[in-house]
Amino acid sequence: MNPVIGEGTQIALDMYRCLETVIQDPIQIETILKRMYGPVFRQGPFIFIWMKIRTKGSLIFTVPVKGGHVILRVCEEFGYAGLDIMNMNGDFIPEELGIAIRKEMGPDQSKMTVIKRGDFGNIEDMKPRRQKMVKPMRRAKNAGVKLKNFMLKK
């Protein structure tokens, strides 16, 4: 049996066409992350780091936590936010935190990928699970575009 270095969970959450009022306001994003921080991370002092990369028009928020990290990258120009959460010690469930942040960002479309880390003896653990969420309004728009393209082909 292979030794287990450390077991944990990592999620990658892509959020497309987020609410403009949220995505263009770094203070509101910081408030969201701090609000999520309270119930989820009860232990230790709060360390919050954020920086703005002006040349690319994006913001990167980093929250180091015991045994992991929370990184949120926001591209204001495209309405995109990418969230990366890593947890090695099991103090919180990354999927729950990702879903809570997704609700606050209000994306039209999102995709969450969950990866189990640490157990290299089982191939199933290395395969990521994906969960896709599309708002009903976006689904209706996509169906309309597909129908229009189908009708124009004839």
Side-chain angles (χ1 to χ4, degrees):
M1 179 171 191
N2 293 339
V4 175
I5 298 168
E7 291 185 0
T9 304
Q10 180 175 7
I11 70 157
L13 177 61
D14 296 316
M15 298 174 278
Y16 303 96
R17 291 176 295 280
C18 295
L19 296 173
E20 287 183 20
T21 55
V22 175
I23 206 145
Q24 294 177 353
D25 187 3
I27 295 168
Q28 188 171 354
I29 295 171
E30 184 176 351
T31 305
I32 289 169
L33 290 175
K34 284 182 179 178
R35 193 170 359 135
M36 297 299 152
Y37 193 89
V40 174
F41 314 108
R42 292 177 181 89
Q43 82 289 347
F46 179 75
I47 301 170
F48 190 83
I49 304 165
W50 72 278
M51 60 181 161
K52 184 172 183 175
I53 302 173
R54 297 176 195 278
T55 56
K56 304 220 188 260
S58 65
L59 297 165
I60 299 175
F61 298 86
T62 304
V63 183
V65 296
K66 183 181 170 190
H69 64 262
V70 177
I71 299 172
L72 177 65
R73 179 175 180 162
V74 176
C75 297
E76 302 164 1
E77 181 181 348
F78 303 111
Y80 169 82
L83 181 66
D84 178 46
I85 303 173
M86 177 68 172
N87 180 21
M88 289 298 283
N89 58 4
D91 287 344
F92 64 96
I93 300 171
E95 294 96 319
E96 289 179 4
L97 180 60
I99 289 168
I101 292 174
R102 178 177 68 191
K103 286 179 184 175
E104 294 288 333
M105 300 296 282
D108 274 355
Q109 231 177 357
S110 67
K111 184 170 95 175
M112 182 186 303
T113 304
V114 180
I115 304 168
K116 297 291 183 188
R117 296 289 188 195
D119 185 5
F120 299 107
N122 189 350
I123 297 297
E124 291 175 7
D125 286 343
M126 298 175 74
K127 185 177 180 182
R129 293 185 337 257
R130 291 188 173 84
Q131 173 187 1
K132 191 171 182 181
M133 195 254 341
V134 180
K135 282 189 174 177
M137 192 62 177
R138 174 57 55 189
R139 196 174 292 132
K141 286 180 184 178
N142 291 345
V145 169
K146 286 180 183 178
L147 180 63
K148 178 182 171 187
N149 289 339
F150 176 75
M151 296 304 282
L152 291 176
K153 284 183 182 180
K154 288 186 175 189

